[in-house]
Every structure is written in structure tokens, then in C-alpha cells.
Amino acid sequence: MASESTPSPFTTLGIVGTGAMGRGIAQLAAQAGLKVILFDVKEGAVTEAKTFINGLWQRSSEKQRITAEQAQQYSERLIEASELAALAPCDIVVEAIIEKLEAKQGLFSDLEAIVSQQTVLATNTSSLSVTAIAATCQHPERVIGFHFFNPVPLMKIAEVIPGLLTANEVTQRVSALGQAMGHFTAQATDTPGFLVNHAGRAFGTEALRILGENVTDPATIDRIMVDQGGFKMGPFTLLDLTGLDVSHAVMESVYHQYYEEARFRPSPLTRQRLAAGLLGRKTGEGFYRYVEGKQQMPDEPTISAVSACPVWISQDDPESAAALAELVSTAGWSLESCTQPTGQALCLLTPFGEDATSCALRQGLDAKQCVAVDMLAGLDKRRSLMATPITQRTFIQAAQSLLNHDGTPVSALQDSNGFVLQRVIACIVNVGADIAQQGVATPATIDRAVELGLGYPFGPLRTGDHYGAARIMKILNNLLEATGDPRYRPSPWLRRRAALQMSLTTA
């Protein structure tokens, strides 16, 4: 008998809906030792799903990842159901049907007349309220969210989302099941977007806002986020991969479910492109064109070497100034050390959340000589610069040549409050901090879920610690002051911990 601290394991799992998600869940459940009963209203869908899953196991056996005996054992655990009533023996049923509230409510009502009162009803919904799905059930205490990500076997995370009336024992048992299936189980509250989709709102929406301000183009933004930010892919490559028909709907859904919270505001750019059918890879064109499935990335602009000129570096941020001084020395350019630059000097600024224009004027400098450099991530893999609207072309060319002296790629941006990396990173951290503030999940769960579910180099709170909470605060405050847009208001979680010099991961 299981003790109170060890929830009783499930033995028989039902799947309703045998598309990509249902198949993946069935595969993992069978591998975890459960009997799996598959049902789908579409004729032939269950047989097709079984054939597909068995094919995966057969290939794994041929590659000696599993034995032939294991493949046979797994296969024997998959059982076809020709009618919903065949799910009566299940002690948990997972629905993976169409993402419509009425359909899921209707299915669970039908299941309640079939299964025992102790059977757990789990929804794989990605965007609907678990509480709302459970609202029409006779026993809402046994309804829970069990959200996997596609492809299920490879995405090693499952969100466990209890509704407001879900019993604690149900939450514990489903969490244990997710772990037995080989996944990290991220328990989150029943809020719009749950945890992973909620935390992912900043990456794309802020990139779209930057594009909408004509700061630069999609390819430059993607290159900056990959090279400087360490992300596996840039936001526009990701939007093309997912498809705007999916991404735009999620952006609008989360935004409206949060009653037009400014941090999640979508961009009119995606609605316009959606109307034009520019969905991404699936249509052959999105933010990029695709030829035979291959992304057509434009070439980077060439940078011509120019004669060295004197360089003056702002001491606004001593750490950044020291790193730039080392680069100037390595390049063999002369460095002016006086408090004010001469009229012949290229003036390098290091703003955080400011535009080059404001930064130059605040320091009493001649904006015609000034070029700003993004120092948030250092100078290793890519360097970003922006000039004021009146910076002389000779100084812009000198800055590009200097920053490119060792072959490191350089991205030139229009003047903007905060560079590309600064803006996107600050928004990611801020949204993650507010998720922690709302108690959607624990700090450790937030970070791990985002790393697994979104593939970020760090979770949002660890990202804040990596770059420095005080620096993130500076970026957000400067953006908020310059734009007046509440999307940049710092979360109380971030503000308090930055002031106290605490880790953002500390509860």
C-alpha cells in the first residue's frame, strides 16, 4: 500500500485524440509500464497511431537503443478502443482533442458517465483554463491540466496545472506520473499561458516591437539574439518555424486573457502578415523566404576598413569603458584619456536602456561624434552599435571598422532606447520575475521549465542574475521613462531584489 507521502501510481491510461500530442503521450506512458487505451472519433486514427508508435520502437530496436523484447512489451501495452465506453477501466484519461472549451467540457461530461469516480480526468490544453474545463463536471476535484510539448518524447517537460478545485492527491499522482514518464514536471497555477507559454511572451513580442520601430531588420535581430544572447534561434526564425497562424493566436489569447496587460501586447505586424498568408516555413515565406525548405538568410553587410582615428570612451559605466579600452588598444588605435574629447575623436558611449542621442546630450557631448556600443553581453561573438541621427558618417564607419578589426561581426542599428539584446533580455527577465511575484510557480521551477520548454540559455531569473538585476532595472527604468509604455514597468519581484542585491531566484 502506498504511504501518504507516496501517491498511488496509475496503471491504465486512456488517450482521447491520437494526433501528434496523443501519440507522444501514449508512447511515453507505455514505456513507463502503463497499459494505454487509445480512442479517437476519426475512423482509422487509432490504428494509424499504433502503427506510427510501433514504427518508432522498431527503429529504436534496430538502432539498439532498446531491445526487441522491450519493443514487443511496449507494443502489447497499446490497446485500441472503438468506442469511448472502452475507457471504463482507466484510472486516468488524458484528452488531446481540439482546443475548444465546449468540446473538452462535453468530453469530460461523457467520460464521467463511463469511468469510476476515482478516475483522474487530465487535459492537455495549452491555453484554456483548467478550472473552466472542470466547471461542468460533477467531480471537478479530479480534473487537472497535464500539458506536454511537441514533440512529446523529446521535450522533457510536462506542466501540471491543478484547477481551483483540484484535489491535492490528484496533483501529486499526476506529477509522479509525469516523472515516471521521464519528464520534468513543472507545477503551475491555472493562469493564462500557464508557465512556459506565459514566460515566452517577451521574446517574440519585444522583437516585433523593435522591428515595428524600424530599428533594424529580422535577420539582424536574429543574429544578435543568437550570437550575443546565446539563444538557439532568433525570434523571427522561431516565429517562422512555429507558424504565424499558431503564434499570433497565442499572443492575442494571452494578451486578452490578462485583460490587455501591456507586457503581453501583440504587434500589428503579425496580424498584417497573417492576413497576407506569410505564415513561415509551412507557406514558403514568412519573415524569411524558404526554398526547398531552406531558410534564405540575407548576407551581412560588408564592413570596410578605414584609417584609425583617436577614440574617446565615456566613463559612464567603468566596467564597460575598461572592456572597450582594451579593444581599442588591441586594435592599435589611439585612446584619448582627457575628460572631454577633441573634435577629431570617435566618441564611444555605453548606454543601458538609453538611446545614443539622450546619452550623448546627458554627458554634454557633440552628438555628431558619438556612437553607442551595447556592452550587456560583452564583445566576444558579435558587437552592436547605434549612432545618433546626426552622427557623421566618417565616425560611424570608424566605429564599424574598429569593432570589426578582428573579424568579429558587427550589427549597426538605428538609434533606439536600449539595443536589441538589452530590450529583449530585460523584458524576458521582467516577465519571469512577475511570474514569480504572482506565485505561478517556484523560482526554480520557472527557470527549469523555461530552459526545457523554450530552450533559453538560462531561465528568466537566472538570466537576470547573469546580467545583473541592477542593470536590468536600469534598462527597464530608462525604457519606461523614455516611452511612457507600462510594458516596461519593473516587476516588484525584480525591483525589490535588485535594491537588496539579492538573487532573483531567491523566494
Side-chain angles (χ1 to χ4, degrees), residues 146-172:
F146 197 26
H147 178 223
F148 290 82
F149 296 80
N150 194 29
V152 175
L154 299 181
M155 298 293 286
K156 300 294 185 180
I157 176 173
E159 293 176 318
V160 176
I161 309 106
L164 290 181
L165 299 178
T166 304
N168 288 333
E169 180 195 12
V170 170
T171 303
Q172 293 170 4

Short mmCIF file of all heavy atoms in Angstrom, two decimals, residues 146-172:
data_model
loop_
_atom_site.label_atom_id
_atom_site.label_comp_id
_atom_site.label_asym_id
_atom_site.label_seq_id
_atom_site.Cartn_x
_atom_site.Cartn_y
_atom_site.Cartn_z
N PHE A 146 -2.52 18.59 -17.70
CA PHE A 146 -1.32 17.77 -17.86
C PHE A 146 -0.80 18.10 -19.25
O PHE A 146 -1.07 17.41 -20.23
CB PHE A 146 -1.69 16.29 -17.72
CG PHE A 146 -0.54 15.35 -17.46
CD1 PHE A 146 0.64 15.78 -16.86
CD2 PHE A 146 -0.66 14.01 -17.80
CE1 PHE A 146 1.67 14.90 -16.60
CE2 PHE A 146 0.37 13.11 -17.55
CZ PHE A 146 1.54 13.56 -16.95
N HIS A 147 -0.05 19.20 -19.34
CA HIS A 147 0.30 19.80 -20.64
C HIS A 147 1.69 19.40 -21.08
O HIS A 147 2.69 19.75 -20.43
CB HIS A 147 0.19 21.33 -20.55
CG HIS A 147 0.58 22.01 -21.81
ND1 HIS A 147 1.37 23.15 -21.84
CD2 HIS A 147 0.33 21.72 -23.12
CE1 HIS A 147 1.57 23.52 -23.08
NE2 HIS A 147 0.95 22.68 -23.89
N PHE A 148 1.76 18.69 -22.20
CA PHE A 148 3.03 18.31 -22.80
C PHE A 148 3.34 19.24 -23.97
O PHE A 148 2.50 20.01 -24.43
CB PHE A 148 2.97 16.86 -23.30
CG PHE A 148 2.91 15.84 -22.21
CD1 PHE A 148 1.71 15.53 -21.58
CD2 PHE A 148 4.05 15.17 -21.80
CE1 PHE A 148 1.65 14.58 -20.57
CE2 PHE A 148 4.01 14.22 -20.79
CZ PHE A 148 2.80 13.92 -20.17
N PHE A 149 4.57 19.14 -24.46
CA PHE A 149 5.02 19.97 -25.57
C PHE A 149 5.45 19.08 -26.73
O PHE A 149 5.93 17.97 -26.53
CB PHE A 149 6.18 20.88 -25.13
CG PHE A 149 5.78 21.87 -24.07
CD1 PHE A 149 5.69 21.49 -22.74
CD2 PHE A 149 5.47 23.18 -24.40
CE1 PHE A 149 5.30 22.39 -21.76
CE2 PHE A 149 5.07 24.09 -23.44
CZ PHE A 149 4.99 23.69 -22.12
N ASN A 150 5.28 19.59 -27.94
CA ASN A 150 5.55 18.81 -29.14
C ASN A 150 6.98 19.04 -29.65
O ASN A 150 7.41 20.19 -29.73
CB ASN A 150 4.53 19.22 -30.22
CG ASN A 150 4.50 18.26 -31.39
OD1 ASN A 150 4.78 17.07 -31.24
ND2 ASN A 150 4.17 18.78 -32.55
N PRO A 151 7.73 17.96 -29.97
CA PRO A 151 7.37 16.55 -29.87
C PRO A 151 7.50 16.02 -28.44
O PRO A 151 8.52 16.27 -27.78
CB PRO A 151 8.37 15.87 -30.81
CG PRO A 151 9.56 16.79 -30.82
CD PRO A 151 9.03 18.18 -30.64
N VAL A 152 6.49 15.32 -28.00
CA VAL A 152 6.38 14.91 -26.60
C VAL A 152 7.60 14.11 -26.11
O VAL A 152 8.12 14.39 -25.03
CB VAL A 152 5.08 14.11 -26.38
CG1 VAL A 152 5.01 13.57 -24.96
CG2 VAL A 152 3.87 15.01 -26.68
N PRO A 153 8.09 13.12 -26.86
CA PRO A 153 9.22 12.34 -26.33
C PRO A 153 10.50 13.15 -26.17
O PRO A 153 11.34 12.83 -25.31
CB PRO A 153 9.40 11.22 -27.38
CG PRO A 153 8.10 11.14 -28.09
CD PRO A 153 7.60 12.55 -28.14
N LEU A 154 10.68 14.19 -26.99
CA LEU A 154 11.92 14.97 -26.96
C LEU A 154 11.87 16.16 -26.01
O LEU A 154 12.90 16.56 -25.47
CB LEU A 154 12.26 15.45 -28.37
CG LEU A 154 12.49 14.36 -29.42
CD1 LEU A 154 12.84 14.99 -30.76
CD2 LEU A 154 13.58 13.39 -28.98
N MET A 155 10.69 16.74 -25.84
CA MET A 155 10.55 17.89 -24.94
C MET A 155 10.33 17.37 -23.53
O MET A 155 9.22 16.96 -23.15
CB MET A 155 9.38 18.76 -25.39
CG MET A 155 9.56 19.35 -26.78
SD MET A 155 10.89 20.55 -26.87
CE MET A 155 10.13 21.93 -26.02
N LYS A 156 11.39 17.37 -22.73
CA LYS A 156 11.39 16.67 -21.45
C LYS A 156 10.74 17.48 -20.33
O LYS A 156 11.28 17.62 -19.23
CB LYS A 156 12.83 16.32 -21.07
CG LYS A 156 13.55 15.42 -22.05
CD LYS A 156 12.92 14.04 -22.11
CE LYS A 156 13.71 13.11 -23.02
NZ LYS A 156 13.10 11.76 -23.07
N ILE A 157 9.55 17.97 -20.61
CA ILE A 157 8.83 18.75 -19.61
C ILE A 157 7.34 18.54 -19.78
O ILE A 157 6.83 18.40 -20.91
CB ILE A 157 9.17 20.26 -19.73
CG1 ILE A 157 8.33 21.08 -18.73
CG2 ILE A 157 8.98 20.77 -21.15
CD1 ILE A 157 8.70 22.54 -18.65
N ALA A 158 6.64 18.48 -18.66
CA ALA A 158 5.18 18.45 -18.65
C ALA A 158 4.71 19.41 -17.56
O ALA A 158 5.21 19.37 -16.44
CB ALA A 158 4.66 17.05 -18.39
N GLU A 159 3.79 20.29 -17.92
CA GLU A 159 3.21 21.18 -16.92
C GLU A 159 2.04 20.48 -16.23
O GLU A 159 1.19 19.88 -16.90
CB GLU A 159 2.72 22.48 -17.58
CG GLU A 159 3.85 23.33 -18.13
CD GLU A 159 3.33 24.56 -18.85
OE1 GLU A 159 2.34 24.44 -19.62
OE2 GLU A 159 3.92 25.64 -18.67
N VAL A 160 2.02 20.56 -14.92
CA VAL A 160 0.93 20.00 -14.12
C VAL A 160 0.17 21.18 -13.53
O VAL A 160 0.73 21.94 -12.74
CB VAL A 160 1.47 19.07 -13.02
CG1 VAL A 160 0.33 18.58 -12.13
CG2 VAL A 160 2.21 17.89 -13.65
N ILE A 161 -1.10 21.32 -13.95
CA ILE A 161 -1.85 22.52 -13.59
C ILE A 161 -3.14 22.16 -12.87
O ILE A 161 -4.13 21.78 -13.51
CB ILE A 161 -2.18 23.38 -14.83
CG1 ILE A 161 -0.94 23.63 -15.67
CG2 ILE A 161 -2.83 24.69 -14.42
CD1 ILE A 161 -0.89 22.82 -16.94
N PRO A 162 -3.15 22.22 -11.54
CA PRO A 162 -4.41 21.99 -10.84
C PRO A 162 -5.37 23.16 -11.03
O PRO A 162 -4.95 24.31 -11.05
CB PRO A 162 -3.98 21.86 -9.38
CG PRO A 162 -2.67 22.59 -9.29
CD PRO A 162 -2.03 22.46 -10.64
N GLY A 163 -6.65 22.85 -11.21
CA GLY A 163 -7.66 23.89 -11.20
C GLY A 163 -7.92 24.34 -9.77
O GLY A 163 -7.35 23.80 -8.82
N LEU A 164 -8.79 25.29 -9.60
CA LEU A 164 -9.06 25.82 -8.25
C LEU A 164 -9.65 24.76 -7.33
O LEU A 164 -9.50 24.85 -6.10
CB LEU A 164 -9.99 27.02 -8.34
CG LEU A 164 -9.41 28.30 -8.95
CD1 LEU A 164 -10.45 29.42 -8.95
CD2 LEU A 164 -8.16 28.74 -8.18
N LEU A 165 -10.32 23.76 -7.89
CA LEU A 165 -10.97 22.73 -7.07
C LEU A 165 -10.27 21.38 -7.15
O LEU A 165 -10.76 20.40 -6.56
CB LEU A 165 -12.44 22.58 -7.50
CG LEU A 165 -13.31 23.84 -7.35
CD1 LEU A 165 -14.72 23.57 -7.86
CD2 LEU A 165 -13.36 24.29 -5.89
N THR A 166 -9.15 21.29 -7.84
CA THR A 166 -8.44 20.01 -7.97
C THR A 166 -7.90 19.54 -6.63
O THR A 166 -7.30 20.32 -5.88
CB THR A 166 -7.27 20.13 -8.97
OG1 THR A 166 -7.78 20.59 -10.22
CG2 THR A 166 -6.58 18.79 -9.17
N ALA A 167 -8.09 18.26 -6.32
CA ALA A 167 -7.61 17.70 -5.06
C ALA A 167 -6.09 17.60 -5.06
O ALA A 167 -5.47 17.30 -6.09
CB ALA A 167 -8.22 16.32 -4.84
N ASN A 168 -5.48 17.82 -3.90
CA ASN A 168 -4.02 17.75 -3.78
C ASN A 168 -3.49 16.37 -4.18
O ASN A 168 -2.43 16.26 -4.80
CB ASN A 168 -3.59 18.07 -2.35
CG ASN A 168 -3.76 19.55 -2.02
OD1 ASN A 168 -3.72 20.40 -2.91
ND2 ASN A 168 -3.94 19.85 -0.76
N GLU A 169 -4.23 15.32 -3.82
CA GLU A 169 -3.78 13.96 -4.14
C GLU A 169 -3.69 13.77 -5.65
O GLU A 169 -2.76 13.12 -6.15
CB GLU A 169 -4.75 12.94 -3.56
CG GLU A 169 -4.32 11.51 -3.86
CD GLU A 169 -5.43 10.49 -3.61
OE1 GLU A 169 -6.59 10.89 -3.42
OE2 GLU A 169 -5.12 9.29 -3.64
N VAL A 170 -4.63 14.35 -6.39
CA VAL A 170 -4.61 14.25 -7.84
C VAL A 170 -3.37 14.93 -8.41
O VAL A 170 -2.69 14.39 -9.29
CB VAL A 170 -5.89 14.87 -8.44
CG1 VAL A 170 -5.79 14.99 -9.97
CG2 VAL A 170 -7.11 14.03 -8.07
N THR A 171 -3.06 16.10 -7.88
CA THR A 171 -1.86 16.83 -8.33
C THR A 171 -0.61 16.02 -8.08
O THR A 171 0.27 15.91 -8.95
CB THR A 171 -1.77 18.19 -7.61
OG1 THR A 171 -2.97 18.93 -7.84
CG2 THR A 171 -0.58 18.99 -8.10
N GLN A 172 -0.51 15.41 -6.90
CA GLN A 172 0.67 14.62 -6.55
C GLN A 172 0.80 13.39 -7.46
O GLN A 172 1.90 13.06 -7.93
CB GLN A 172 0.59 14.18 -5.09
CG GLN A 172 0.70 15.33 -4.10
CD GLN A 172 0.39 14.91 -2.68
OE1 GLN A 172 0.16 13.73 -2.40
NE2 GLN A 172 0.35 15.87 -1.76
#
